[in-house]
Amino acid sequence: MLDGERYIRKQIKPTSDRDGIMERYRLRRMDDLCVLQNKAPVWNEDTQSYVLNFHGRVTQASVKNFQIVHDIDPDYIVMQFGRVNDEQFTMDFRYPLSALQAFGIAMTSFHGKLACE
C-alpha cells in the first residue's frame, strides 16, 4: 500500500470444496504444502523396546517423546520433544516450523495418549 491508502485485510480461503487442504492432499496436489510426519521408532534388541535417537537431548523414556520429520527426507528432523526428568521436557525445532507452531504441537502431547492411559 502507498501513502494514504487504507489497509484492507485480505481473506484467503478455498474457492471450492476441491480447493481445501485435505482435498488437495488426497489428490496429491501439494505443490505449496509441506507434509510432516512422526518418525517411526526402531526396535532395540538390548532394551527390548522401540527407540528414537535424540542424540543425548532426551534422557528418559516416555510416551510423550516424539520426533517429526519432513516427508521428503526422513533424516531431516523438524522437531523433537521429550522428557528430561520427572518435571522437565525439552523441545527442539527448526524450519519450516515457527516457535508458535512448535509450541502448539508440544502442548498437544500433554493432552493425553489414548492407547497408553
Side-chain angles (χ1 to χ4, degrees):
M1 303 267 167
L2 299 174
D3 293 330
E5 288 186 39
R6 281 188 43 209
Y7 288 96
I8 299 171
R9 179 178 290 173
K10 183 175 180 180
Q11 231 179 20
I12 300 174
K13 62 181 179 179
T15 55
S16 70
D17 288 342
R18 291 187 9 227
D19 215 24
I21 291 175
M22 291 304 293
E23 184 65 15
R24 292 177 68 192
Y25 179 79
R26 189 179 70 74
L27 296 173
R28 301 286 185 234
R29 288 183 23 231
M30 300 184 297
D31 46 315
D32 56 351
L33 296 179
C34 178
V35 179
L36 305 175
Q37 59 192 15
N38 283 336
K39 184 172 187 173
V42 293
W43 183 254
N44 183 314
E45 283 295 328
D46 295 337
T47 61
Q48 292 292 296
S49 63
Y50 286 98
V51 297
L52 291 168
N53 185 356
F54 287 92
H55 303 285
R57 295 283 294 153
V58 174
T59 55
Q60 286 191 352
S62 173
V63 295
K64 292 176 175 32
N65 296 353
F66 65 86
Q67 291 178 326
I68 296 177
V69 295
H70 200 282
D71 191 39
I72 295 171
D73 182 5
D75 293 324
Y76 184 77
I77 299 171
V78 175
M79 178 181 171
Q80 61 183 19
F81 178 82
R83 186 180 291 276
V84 176
N85 62 42
D86 287 344
E87 297 179 359
Q88 292 181 331
F89 289 82
T90 184
M91 177 186 75
D92 303 309
F93 71 95
R94 61 180 167 177
Y95 181 83
L97 293 179
S98 70
L100 182 62
Q101 290 169 322
F103 182 71
I105 293 168
M107 290 297 96
T108 64
S109 180
F110 290 107
H111 190 312
K113 298 289 184 182
L114 294 176
C116 301
E117 292 184 6

